[in-house]
């Protein structure tokens, strides 16, 4: 059976009709809509000669057994953020499904090929991203997860149980990666780089390191009408100044460094009072751990200087961090080859967002990602989009990479397979 990338587009549209609204995708994990999407996907899996199972962490696996138990794993996720886009995550899974169809039609593969739909990549309901893959990698902090609640006060363990998942057993899913020899993941870029370069596809070098904190400035609440400007100890002024300084410092670094003040909350938070307390979140990212450390150090030093100048106190509260995670050099090379074969030219770039591939890498499995161009760099919104011909190219490139990875796992040597169809040997169409 020949690969049919157009079928992936049809299935993406089918899933959008099934689980979306006029506001966008609604497949938030651990909800009824996500359960409906999972049932739809499982039915697709069961059309193939594969074993289908849900593991202890809620991840859904389709396994095409090969002559060797060593496995090439293709991964994705069909859960979405609320009002999300039609491609984020589910393109990965459905492109992998199309490649699995092609491989299965050719008979028993030399090595086992597995497709996994990771549970709760987005963390949209309980604010804990990469939940299913972190359970598989062993990185999941079960005790911290036990305390998570959604906006309605529902505890994560209770929501998991409704879907047949027991929090205390989630890390038993680690055995799923025991035979994994290579991991492949396709994703929309969610940024503007490939579009700016006029390229449909890119090979991903790795995922950024992240440092995430709450910075709390403490001043003095005072009346907004009767307190002279020179007498104010305005906590918001400290946060505002720090946010701008972090932005300028990050810009001066260049080379892909990003920092974000995503939330600012003042107390008492009324129009007639100077803010006595102001909390801001700081998120710093880069592929080089030394750059991340430098930006964090600079931010701390700036906060202390600003606090002194504004007659404030400042506190830093750790939220979360992850070290930069580089992908496997050989698989990056193979990904570049696959892209060149179907699209004519490849580009290598890092990933600012985190992905399940990062957790798989932390588990010790060689991994790589492919990016396909995002129009206007938009994601996590209903306006998220990619040209249809670029989607077809991405499916073809993932399939080519799967073939190369099978050869590599089997022989230990990178190998080129047969040429792709002529319709995919171009640099992209408008």
């Amino acid at each position: 059976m020949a690969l049919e990338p157009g079928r992936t587009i049809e299935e993406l549209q089918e899933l959008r009709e099934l689980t979306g609204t006029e506001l966008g995708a609604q497949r938030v994990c651990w909800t009824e809509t996500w359960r409906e999407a999972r049932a739809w996907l499982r039915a697709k899996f069961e059309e193939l000669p594969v074993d289908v199972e849900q593991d202890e962490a809620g991840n859904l696996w389709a396994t095409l057994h090969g002559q060797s138990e060593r496995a090439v794993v293709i991964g994705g996720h069909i859960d979405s953020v609320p009002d999300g886009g039609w491609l984020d995550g589910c393109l990965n899974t459905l492109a992998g499904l199309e490649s699995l169809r092609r491989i299965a039609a050719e008979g028993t593969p030399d090595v086992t090929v597995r497709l996994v739909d990771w549970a709760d990549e987005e963390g949209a309901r309980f604010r804990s991203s990469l939940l299913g893959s972190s359970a598989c990698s062993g990185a999941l902090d079960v005790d911290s997860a036990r305390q998570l609640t959604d906006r309605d006060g529902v505890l994560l363990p209770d929501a998991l149980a409704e879907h047949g998942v027991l929090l205390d057993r989630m890390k038993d899913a680690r055995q799923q990666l025991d035979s994994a020899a290579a991991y492949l993941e396709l994703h929309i870029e969610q940024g503007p780089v490939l579009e700016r370069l006029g390229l449909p596809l890119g090979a991903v070098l790795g995922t950024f390191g992240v440092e995430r904190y709450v910075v709390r400035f403490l001043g003095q609440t005072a009346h907004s009408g009767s307190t002279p400007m020179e007498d104010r100890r305005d906590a918001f002024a400290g946060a505002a100044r720090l946010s701008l300084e972090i932005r300028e410092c990050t810009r001066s670094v260049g080379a892909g460094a990003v920092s974000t003040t995503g939330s600012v909350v003042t107390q008492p938070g009324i129009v007639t009072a100077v803010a006595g307390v102001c909390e801001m979140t700081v998120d710093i990212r880069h592929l080089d751990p030394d750059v991340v450390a430098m930006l964090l150090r600079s931010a701390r030093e700036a906060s202390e200087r600003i606090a002194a100048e504004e007659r404030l106190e400042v506190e830093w509260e750790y939220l979360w961090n992850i070290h930069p995670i580089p992908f496997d050099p050989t698989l990056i090379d193979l990904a570049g080859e696959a892209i060149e074969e179907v699209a004519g030219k490849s580009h290598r770039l890092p990933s600012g967002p985190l992905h399940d591939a990062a957790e798989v890498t932390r588990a010790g499995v060689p991994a790589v990602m492919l990016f396909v161009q995002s129009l206007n760099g938009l994601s996590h919104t209903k306006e998220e989009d990619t040209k249809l011909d670029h989607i077809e190219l991405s499916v073809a490139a993932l399939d080519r990479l799967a073939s190369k990875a099978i050869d590599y796992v089997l022989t230990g040597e990178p190998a080129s397979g047969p040429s792709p169809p002529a319709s995919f040997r171009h640099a992209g169409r408008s």
Side-chain angles (χ1 to χ4, degrees):
M1 182 183 73
L3 190 76
E4 296 183 30
R7 176 164 46 196
T8 300
I9 295 174
E10 293 173 359
E11 291 177 333
L12 286 164
Q13 293 168 338
E14 182 182 346
L15 183 60
R16 177 168 59 180
E17 290 297 315
L18 180 67
T19 59
T21 69
E22 69 279 1
L23 299 177
Q26 305 299 331
R27 297 182 303 276
V28 175
C29 200
W30 318 120
T31 66
E32 286 304 310
T33 302
W34 175 74
R35 191 198 301 270
E36 185 178 6
R38 264 289 180 82
W40 175 87
L41 180 62
R42 181 184 283 268
K44 300 284 184 183
F45 286 174
E46 290 175 350
E47 295 172 355
L48 297 174
V50 297
D51 289 339
V52 182
E53 63 175 319
Q54 177 175 298
D55 68 21
E56 293 87 348
N59 307 307
L60 186 64
W61 297 82
T63 302
L64 176 64
H65 293 283
Q67 296 181 26
S68 168
E69 291 185 1
R70 301 187 74 203
V72 171
V73 180
I74 303 172
H77 64 95
I78 61 169
D79 71 298
S80 75
V81 297
D83 304 337
W86 74 298
L87 298 171
D88 179 10
C90 55
L91 169 60
N92 327 2
T93 307
L94 296 179
L97 173 61
E98 184 59 25
S99 183
L100 191 64
R101 287 189 181 112
R102 193 272 303 167
I103 296 168
E106 294 179 357
T108 303
D110 292 322
V111 303
T112 295
V113 180
R114 309 187 73 195
L115 176 60
V116 56
D117 175 53
W118 297 109
D120 208 356
E121 191 270 357
E122 297 289 3
R125 183 175 174 187
F126 291 95
R127 302 178 305 281
S128 182
S129 302
L130 311 180
L131 194 69
S133 57
S134 68
C136 262
S137 74
L140 176 65
D141 185 337
V142 173
D143 290 334
S144 295
R146 199 184 314 281
Q147 309 304 319
L148 295 175
T149 60
D150 67 9
R151 65 180 58 186
D152 297 319
V154 177
L155 283 165
L156 174 62
D158 294 337
L160 294 175
E162 292 178 3
H163 295 266
V165 176
L166 301 178
L167 176 61
D168 288 319
R169 292 201 57 202
M170 284 184 72
K171 291 172 77 169
D172 291 348
R174 284 181 288 182
Q175 62 185 333
Q176 296 288 347
L177 294 177
D178 287 349
S179 62
Y183 176 83
L184 319 175
E185 185 173 330
L186 167 68
H187 208 283
I188 58 171
E189 182 194 347
Q190 303 179 287
V193 174
L194 292 174
E195 185 178 41
R196 190 176 296 147
L197 294 172
L199 296 175
L201 299 165
V204 183
L205 295 167
T207 58
F208 277 4
V210 182
E211 290 283 354
R212 197 171 291 165
Y213 285 81
V214 171
V215 184
R216 186 176 299 106
F217 285 95
L218 306 174
Q220 177 61 60
T221 302
H223 196 288
S224 63
S226 59
T227 309
M229 298 301 290
E230 63 271 17
D231 292 333
R232 298 184 179 204
R233 297 175 57 213
D234 186 347
F236 174 72
R241 288 184 57 186
L242 179 60
S243 178
L244 293 175
E245 288 218 19
I246 292 174
R247 183 178 69 168
E248 291 309 308
C249 182
T250 306
R251 283 176 170 174
S252 70
V253 171
V258 293
S259 61
T260 305
T261 300
S263 173
V264 178
V265 179
T266 63
Q267 295 178 21
I270 57 175
V271 70
T272 55
V274 176
V277 178
C278 185
E279 290 187 346
M280 61 185 289
T281 59
V282 175
D283 181 295
I284 297 170
R285 307 188 187 208
H286 196 270
L287 193 60
D288 185 335
D290 292 336
V291 173
V292 175
M294 182 276 291
L295 287 172
L296 179 59
R297 184 172 60 252
S298 297
R300 284 183 175 276
E301 292 171 353
S303 72
E304 293 168 0
R305 172 173 47 79
I306 291 168
E309 293 171 354
E310 297 288 341
R311 296 181 297 124
L312 306 171
E313 297 177 16
V314 64
E315 302 170 349
W316 282 69
E317 178 185 343
Y318 168 82
L319 288 179
W320 184 80
N321 78 334
I322 189 170
H323 294 297
I325 297 178
F327 291 145
D328 182 78
T330 299
L331 290 179
I332 293 172
D333 288 343
L334 293 180
E337 290 177 11
I339 292 170
E340 290 171 3
E341 290 170 7
V342 302
K345 186 177 181 181
S346 180
H347 176 72
R348 298 186 178 191
L349 70 166
S351 173
L354 294 170
H355 297 281
D356 294 305
E359 287 295 344
V360 176
T361 299
R362 292 216 288 179
V365 179
V368 73
M369 292 184 68
L370 301 176
F371 273 168
V372 61
Q373 185 190 118
S374 292
L375 294 177
N376 301 311
L378 295 175
S379 185
H380 284 192
T381 171
K382 66 177 182 179
E383 286 80 20
E384 170 189 286
D385 207 3
T386 294
K387 294 178 181 180
L388 297 185
D389 67 301
H390 287 180
I391 293 176
E392 292 186 354
L393 286 173
S394 73
V395 177
L398 178 65
D399 184 61
R400 291 292 299 155
L401 177 57
S403 293
K404 292 175 180 292
I406 289 171
D407 290 338
Y408 179 57
V409 169
L410 182 67
T411 66
E413 295 292 335
S416 296
S419 297
S423 60
F424 292 110
R425 292 199 301 269
H426 55 72
R429 298 163 286 188
S430 60

